[in-house]
Amino acid sequence: MDTLDFLSQLEPTALEAHYQRYLADPQSVDASWQQFFKGFDLALATYGEESASPIAKKEFQVLDLIHGYRTRGHLFTQTNPVRARRTYEPDLSLEQFGLTEADLDTTFQAGSQVGIGPAPLRAIVEHLRETYCHSIGIEYMFIRDLPRLNWIREHIELANRPRIEVADRKQILKKLNQATLFEEFLQKKFVGQKRFSLEGGESLIAALDAVIEDGSSRGVREVVIGMAHRGRLSTLAHILGKPYAEIFTEFEGKAYDDDGDFDGDVKYHLGYSRSLMADTGEPLTITLAPNPSHLEAVGPVVEGLSRARIDALGGDSCTVLPILIHGDAAIAGQGVVYEVAQMAQLDGYRVGGTIHIVVNNQVGFTTNYLDARSSTYCTDVSKVTEALSFHVNADDPEAVVTVMRIACDYRQTWKRDVFIDLLGYRKYGHNEGDEPMFTQPQLYKSIGKHPNVRELYLQQLLADGTLTADDAEGMKEAQIARMEAGYEAAAGMDRAIVEDFLQDLWKDYHNAEPDEWRQPVDTAVARERLEALARAMSTLPEEKKIYRKVAKLMRDRLKMVEEDRLDWAMGELLAYATLLTEGHPVRISGQDVERGTFSHRHAVVKTEDSEEEIIPLNHLEEGQATFQIYNSLLSEYAVAGFDYGYAFARPEGLTIWEAQFGDFNNGAQILFDQFLSSAEDKWRTMNGLTLLLPHGYEGMGSEHSSGRMERFLQLGSGENFFVCNVTEPSNYFHLLRRQVKMAFRKPLVVFTPKKLLRYPKAVSSFEAMATGHFAPVIDDPRTQGDPGAVDTLVFCSGKIYYELLERLEETPAPNIAFIRVEQLHPYPGLEIEAVRAGYSPKAKCLWVQEEPRNMGAWTFIMQHFSGEIACISRSASASPASGSPVVHARRQQAILDEVFDNAHN
């Protein structure tokens, strides 16, 4: 095989370009390449290019060997502590590269490429095996960014890896002591209780300790962790410092409060936060987000929370480090992982890189890894964004710590994701009461004979003299004494403790008292102020070339200001403008939100010639808060989760996720079930995320008609969130402002209109925004002066109100009053009864809705309405709406006919 053949295997274009740079200026390439090319030039000068020496040809064979180790070495590592690795072909034997054992003592210039200078092939191979095929496997050669690739190559070579000093080794043993003895203590004290033991993956605690301390030395001031249940209790105790007494009290199953109203959650779902001084002497806050059993659901929440803290701290992502801890089955099987990976480099969602750690048990509940994924590795999703990926033997804690330090350095340098596949095992079944021998008998026979990592590492430290047996026993006894003290303290505690995991950020807010939402919130803004802001946000720079339709839209908005007839978009944008100038940041994200799905918002205007972005809401006045709006990737689950996490850490701001169509929210149902509706009841934590879900029956078919109001109303309990379906721009204005001006926070779900965005009658005046507050119920303005003639009260919500008014113009019915329920949950019963009190107690009550009878608000209204009320709606249906515009029109007409027929009978 000639030289060119080897070049073709060894990225020839890049190598040739590198060589040409060297010829032009030897100093333009690094020292290792200078040495190599000098040796190559010497061979050519001695033997001539046409008859290059065998050694010169073999130089390229050695380069090919090096390339092979770099690209495929991870397939031949010693990273599995309890299983033999699968075999792969071709292997990395010398013969695969045209070399033989006879070449082992020959010195090659190629050694300079691995940091050891010209060296015998034997030394080069030993170096490559130790670098790429020992306890650490590395995948990085797929990365296309050459500077990043070279940085990785430089930092993973043995000579450049972080050194593990004696103090480091003792710290590693300390964390292994904590992790191992803690699990043994729980097994003895709380027999048979679920804890989702970390045994087999105890190195996780040493890994987290290492990356957090290293991060502190590199500018990290906050760490945000998301993880599932396995190893969570040990992480809480030994990374976040949660007192043993509190953890042991949770094992004893004590109530959370005196009256038992607070539900709480299982001990391995709870969040926690701790501020401390790192060993570096720098202040550090570590937060573990609460999570449900739905694996990977917490991932986007952690990313959003981290982004919010980055924004709050001035935008430097190096100050906040997100860490996501996965299981091997979950990271390979849960689609939200891919969604989160795709967010990593997007402007609206980047967090400067996330460190992903996989606690790889090599089994998912009872499912073998071969049945759990098609990919070679559980972390192969990392390749989607060209993320650096490590595989490391969890039984080699020094290798684990080394990898974590390289990962932290890489993240801080390049602001990119890193994946660490921590290969260990699971000592017990899925939980401590499960029997794994049913499904993995061979694996668990091996695990049953395998010593734990603490014992393995302790023997290593005793053997090399790092510490004595007496030292080791003293460390063990001290750890057991601390746990025993916590156990005794737990016995004296009356109840379990659950506190808001972000209580320092939320110190200016309180959990709402019952019915506190009924207290009017001052959301009015002076008319002069509103007019000035309306003009400012509707005026574009004259020197910019704006697309003619957008320019006309802005002129139309200015005309609305003059005519005092503000449409839906103006009401919405004025809510944002007033909040921004009052110091409240606003963030909106979702599919197509910048323009708006229905082309109503135009919060971002692009110039026609250069596509320069103009955001008028960021140019209202000096000192205003920041308005952020981002078109998202085509994801609901991850994006809604991200924005929910963002709202966790920005209680002073308005954070909005908007669905492209309301029914698309079902792609994020897990988020709504496990976080939005229940977080306060499970974890005592507030969140003010606002959802905008376009909703309304307009003949667009089953997919784009219903925002699935019934699902949110079914999730509603007590006062856990607001569900609204408003009909006037001014009430929408007050509603959005109320969300920020309340002294507490609740999620807000708004079923926003489509038809009303440009409906001539759905307009408001400045006066309506300059006075009053949000109205949960709106009486019929036609009948308030003469309620005596009314014998039928029609309650409705949303845009069907206007269709009833249209029909009223054709068929006068002075005996009907149309009463709009603008807030459905919490149910405004007192407000509804106050309106009813103005009419005859004998008046017939009807609930009218567009949705089928088994959907929409009817079931909820039926449960809560005081007295008799009948429903007029579409018939119950499996599908929300017809795909035929003709059928839609007929069904809509039938609803209106029935309303007026009832009123005239």
Side-chain angles (χ1 to χ4, degrees):
M1 189 178 291
D2 63 20
T3 301
L4 290 177
D5 288 329
F6 284 108
L7 282 171
S8 69
Q9 292 186 34
L10 195 63
E11 301 170 2
T13 303
L15 187 57
E16 175 63 21
H18 217 50
Y19 183 54
Q20 293 302 322
R21 283 197 296 274
Y22 164 77
L23 292 176
D25 178 10
Q27 299 302 314
S28 66
V29 301
D30 65 36
S32 65
W33 277 108
Q34 290 179 37
Q35 290 182 6
F36 174 78
F37 288 135
K38 282 179 182 178
F40 180 63
D41 286 348
L42 178 63
L44 289 179
T46 303
Y47 294 96
E49 189 167 341
E50 294 301 319
S51 57
S53 73
I55 292 178
K57 291 183 179 181
K58 283 185 180 291
E59 286 285 1
F60 288 97
Q61 291 171 317
V62 176
L63 281 178
D64 201 17
L65 172 74
I66 293 170
H67 185 70
Y69 271 89
R70 286 170 172 169
T71 54
R72 302 182 68 249
H74 58 87
L75 297 172
F76 307 98
T77 57
Q78 301 170 34
T79 49
N80 199 318
V82 292
R83 272 179 168 150
R85 290 216 57 182
R86 289 179 281 182
T87 58
Y88 297 92
E89 295 291 341
D91 60 19
L92 296 175
S93 61
L94 294 176
E95 290 73 19
Q96 297 293 339
F97 304 95
L99 299 165
T100 69
E101 291 190 4
D103 299 312
L104 287 173
D105 294 319
T106 303
T107 296
F108 290 97
Q109 298 294 323
S112 61
Q113 294 305 300
V114 293
I116 61 175
L121 179 59
R122 187 186 309 277
I124 294 171
V125 171
E126 288 176 358
H127 179 88
L128 290 170
R129 285 176 178 168
E130 187 66 23
T131 300
Y132 294 103
C133 298
H134 198 255
S135 292
I136 301 171
I138 311 160
E139 292 185 273
Y140 70 101
M141 290 296 286
F142 52 83
I143 294 173
R144 300 183 184 95
D145 178 26
L146 194 57
R148 194 154 49 98
L149 189 74
N150 289 335
W151 187 99
I152 295 168
R153 187 175 291 161
E154 177 183 337
H155 284 73
I156 62 177
E157 298 293 350
L158 288 180
N160 299 327
R161 288 184 180 179
R163 293 178 58 84
I164 304 295
E165 308 290 352
V166 170
D168 299 323
R169 305 178 90 195
K170 291 181 178 180
Q171 178 67 10
I172 291 171
L173 181 62
K174 174 184 175 181
K175 303 317 284 187
L176 294 178
N177 267 337
Q178 292 175 342
T180 304
L181 299 176
F182 177 71
E183 298 292 355
E184 292 175 356
F185 188 87
L186 294 178
Q187 180 75 358
K188 180 175 65 175
K189 296 291 188 181
F190 304 102
V191 179
Q193 284 210 42
K194 289 182 182 180
R195 67 179 191 275
F196 296 98
S197 163
L198 186 57
E199 288 163 283
E202 297 96 333
S203 290
L204 172 69
I205 302 304
L208 289 172
D209 180 65
V211 75
I212 290 171
E213 287 294 338
D214 196 67
S216 174
S217 71
R218 300 180 189 278
V220 173
R221 295 296 170 261
E222 296 190 19
V223 177
V224 185
I225 304 173
M227 67 184 300
H229 37 280
R230 188 160 311 283
R232 188 181 188 89
L233 296 178
S234 190
T235 302
L236 282 165
H238 306 125
I239 298 300
L240 286 98
K242 184 172 182 177
Y244 287 130
E246 292 185 21
I247 295 174
F248 298 155
T249 299
E250 292 160 7
F251 271 93
E252 293 174 358
K254 295 176 181 177
Y256 301 104
D257 50 33
D258 292 329
D259 57 19
D261 286 344
F262 176 65
D263 283 331
D265 203 351
V266 292
K267 51 191 170 289
Y268 38 79
H269 286 174
L270 302 176
Y272 201 76
S273 190
R274 174 194 180 198
S275 295
L276 68 155
M277 296 297 292
D279 290 347
T280 59
E282 298 292 343
L284 187 66
T285 298
I286 310 174
T287 297
L288 176 64
N291 70 281
S293 287
H294 289 68
L295 299 176
E296 305 296 343
V298 77
V301 176
V302 164
E303 303 287 14
L305 198 162
S306 300
R307 174 60 178 264
R309 294 304 300 147
I310 290 167
D311 288 349
L313 293 172
D316 182 2
S317 60
C318 287
T319 60
V320 180
L321 174 63
I323 300 174
L324 290 179
I325 303 172
H326 313 265
D328 51 309
I331 193 173
Q334 291 293 314
V336 70
V337 176
Y338 179 87
E339 295 180 35
V340 170
Q342 284 288 14
M343 299 168 80
Q345 295 300 313
L346 302 182
D347 287 345
Y349 308 94
R350 60 164 51 105
V351 293
T354 299
I355 292 182
H356 298 264
I357 305 172
V358 180
V359 179
N360 192 336
N361 303 312
Q362 308 186 58
V363 60
F365 206 142
T366 67
T367 303
N368 281 312
Y369 72 98
L370 292 173
D371 297 319
R373 62 180 185 267
S374 297
S375 59
T376 300
Y377 296 115
C378 61
T379 53
D380 278 346
V381 69
S382 64
K383 297 178 177 64
V384 170
T385 54
E386 298 183 28
L388 173 60
S389 185
F390 292 97
H391 309 277
V392 57
N393 191 324
D395 271 1
D396 187 344
E398 291 188 11
V400 171
V401 168
T402 296
V403 163
M404 298 312 297
R405 289 176 174 174
I406 296 173
C408 186
D409 190 3
Y410 175 83
R411 187 267 178 184
Q412 293 296 88
T413 301
W414 297 101
K415 298 179 172 54
R416 305 288 294 227
D417 286 7
V418 190
F419 286 74
I420 298 101
D421 180 12
L422 189 64
L423 279 113
Y425 55 91
R426 188 186 68 193
K427 183 175 181 180
Y428 304 103
H430 178 65
N431 59 64
E432 287 66 35
D434 194 43
E435 177 52 79
M437 287 290 288
F438 288 150
T439 52
Q440 283 85 27
Q442 290 187 335
L443 174 63
Y444 273 86
K445 284 179 183 178
S446 176
I447 290 173
K449 301 173 185 177
H450 194 75
N452 64 51
V453 63
R454 173 190 174 273
E455 184 62 29
L456 291 171
Y457 193 56
L458 175 59
Q459 293 305 315
Q460 177 184 330
L461 298 190
L462 291 175
D464 64 21
T466 298
L467 77 167
T468 66
D470 288 342
D471 293 334
E473 188 61 26
M475 293 174 69
K476 178 179 178 180
E477 290 177 358
Q479 174 60 24
I480 292 173
R482 284 190 288 271
M483 293 187 294
E484 289 287 1
Y487 186 73
E488 292 178 11
M493 297 175 68
D494 295 332
R495 60 180 63 88
I497 299 172
V498 177
E499 296 177 335
D500 181 1
F501 78 110
L502 293 173
Q503 56 185 316
D504 288 346
L505 288 178
W506 288 81
K507 62 181 182 297
D508 296 329
Y509 304 85
H510 64 264
N511 294 91
E513 297 294 331
D515 281 346
E516 187 177 351
W517 69 267
R518 296 185 189 278
Q519 299 174 10
V521 178
D522 183 11
T523 54
V525 178
R527 176 167 182 157
E528 296 78 10
R529 182 73 172 149
L530 288 169
E531 290 185 6
L533 290 173
R535 290 189 177 93
M537 70 185 193
S538 303
T539 302
L540 298 175
E542 293 183 1
E543 70 277 10
K544 302 293 184 181
K545 186 177 181 181
I546 307 298
Y547 179 51
R548 58 183 178 78
K549 291 185 178 180
V550 175
K552 181 181 183 302
L553 181 144
M554 292 300 182
R555 291 195 299 271
D556 289 344
R557 287 181 177 175
L558 290 172
K559 185 178 179 182
M560 291 180 204
V561 175
E562 300 307 318
E563 295 179 352
D564 197 12
R565 288 176 54 83
L566 307 174
D567 68 2
W568 199 270
M570 289 292 279
E572 175 188 347
L573 296 172
L574 274 171
Y576 304 149
T578 54
L579 290 172
L580 291 166
T581 55
E582 291 164 2
H584 301 285
V586 176
R587 173 190 166 93
I588 309 173
S589 91
Q591 295 158 23
D592 310 297
V593 296
E594 295 178 6
R595 189 202 72 176
T597 299
F598 310 102
S599 198
H600 79 288
R601 184 174 291 126
H602 291 277
V604 177
V605 174
K606 293 191 177 183
T607 60
E608 190 173 353
D609 48 0
S610 66
E611 294 194 2
E612 174 191 353
E613 291 190 348
I614 301 169
I615 303 177
L617 285 170
N618 274 329
H619 302 281
L620 300 172
E621 63 182 33
E622 289 292 328
Q624 69 167 83
T626 301
F627 177 74
Q628 299 181 50
I629 186 165
Y630 299 104
N631 288 340
S632 75
L633 67 163
L634 198 63
S635 155
E636 290 81 36
Y637 189 175
V639 177
F642 187 101
D643 289 325
Y644 180 83
Y646 194 95
F648 257 148
R650 293 305 289 268
E652 77 282 10
L654 178 64
T655 304
I656 295 173
W657 176 72
E658 182 176 56
Q660 188 179 65
F661 286 89
D663 59 301
F664 287 4
N665 79 77
N666 56 23
Q669 193 65 49
I670 290 173
L671 188 281
F672 304 143
D673 290 347
Q674 303 301 326
F675 289 92
L676 191 86
S677 64
S678 56
E680 189 169 7
D681 194 35
K682 294 190 295 188
W683 307 320
R684 292 197 199 278
T685 184
M686 289 182 284
N687 190 292
L689 178 66
T690 295
L691 307 185
L692 303 184
L693 308 179
H695 174 88
Y697 282 59
E698 293 155 14
M700 298 184 70
S702 61
E703 303 297 302
H704 299 322
S705 296
S706 174
R708 292 293 190 171
M709 182 184 298
E710 64 278 358
R711 293 180 178 170
F712 289 94
L713 292 175
Q714 185 183 43
L715 289 171
S717 176
E719 300 170 0
N720 60 335
F721 53 44
F722 296 104
V723 178
C724 298
N725 189 16
V726 297
T727 57
E728 296 179 358
S730 59
N731 215 26
Y732 188 38
F733 167 88
H734 288 297
L735 174 64
L736 292 173
R737 286 180 54 77
R738 183 184 75 164
Q739 188 67 359
V740 177
K741 294 299 182 179
M742 294 183 297
F744 58 91
R745 293 289 180 267
K746 301 279 186 182
L748 168 63
V749 182
V750 187
F751 291 92
T752 54
K754 295 170 285 183
K755 175 179 177 177
L756 302 191
L757 296 178
R758 296 175 180 83
Y759 190 67
K761 293 184 179 179
V763 294
S764 297
S765 66
F766 282 115
E767 188 62 24
M769 300 177 190
T771 58
H773 48 78
F774 173 70
V777 179
I778 300 178
D779 198 357
D780 192 333
R782 300 176 307 110
T783 60
Q784 291 178 36
D786 184 21
V790 174
D791 61 13
T792 303
L793 301 180
V794 173
F795 293 88
C796 61
S797 188
K799 68 98 172 170
I800 197 170
Y801 165 73
Y802 290 97
E803 293 173 350
L804 290 166
L805 289 185
E806 290 173 5
R807 182 61 177 271
L808 191 65
E809 293 174 357
E810 302 171 6
T811 311
N815 62 319
I816 301 178
F818 297 115
I819 301 166
R820 287 167 278 171
V821 182
E822 304 274 288
Q823 175 178 301
L824 293 156
H825 184 269
Y827 181 68
L830 296 178
E831 291 77 6
I832 287 175
E833 291 309 306
V835 171
R836 288 178 69 187
Y839 298 95
S840 168
K842 296 180 181 181
K844 182 193 311 182
C845 294
L846 301 174
W847 174 259
V848 178
Q849 66 178 38
E850 302 177 290
E851 302 86 356
R853 188 175 296 259
N854 59 323
M855 302 177 190
W858 165 237
T859 303
F860 179 80
I861 294 295
M862 182 174 59
Q863 290 175 345
H864 292 84
F865 194 83
S866 177
E868 294 185 6
I869 187 169
C871 177
I872 297 176
S873 69
R874 283 169 167 77
S875 300
S877 172
S879 173
S882 170
S884 165
V886 174
V887 174
H888 158 76
R890 186 167 65 241
R891 290 175 177 174
Q892 199 80 351
Q893 189 68 24
I895 292 172
L896 301 178
D897 289 345
E898 189 174 353
V899 170
F900 283 84
D901 288 347
N902 263 273
H904 291 136
N905 291 331

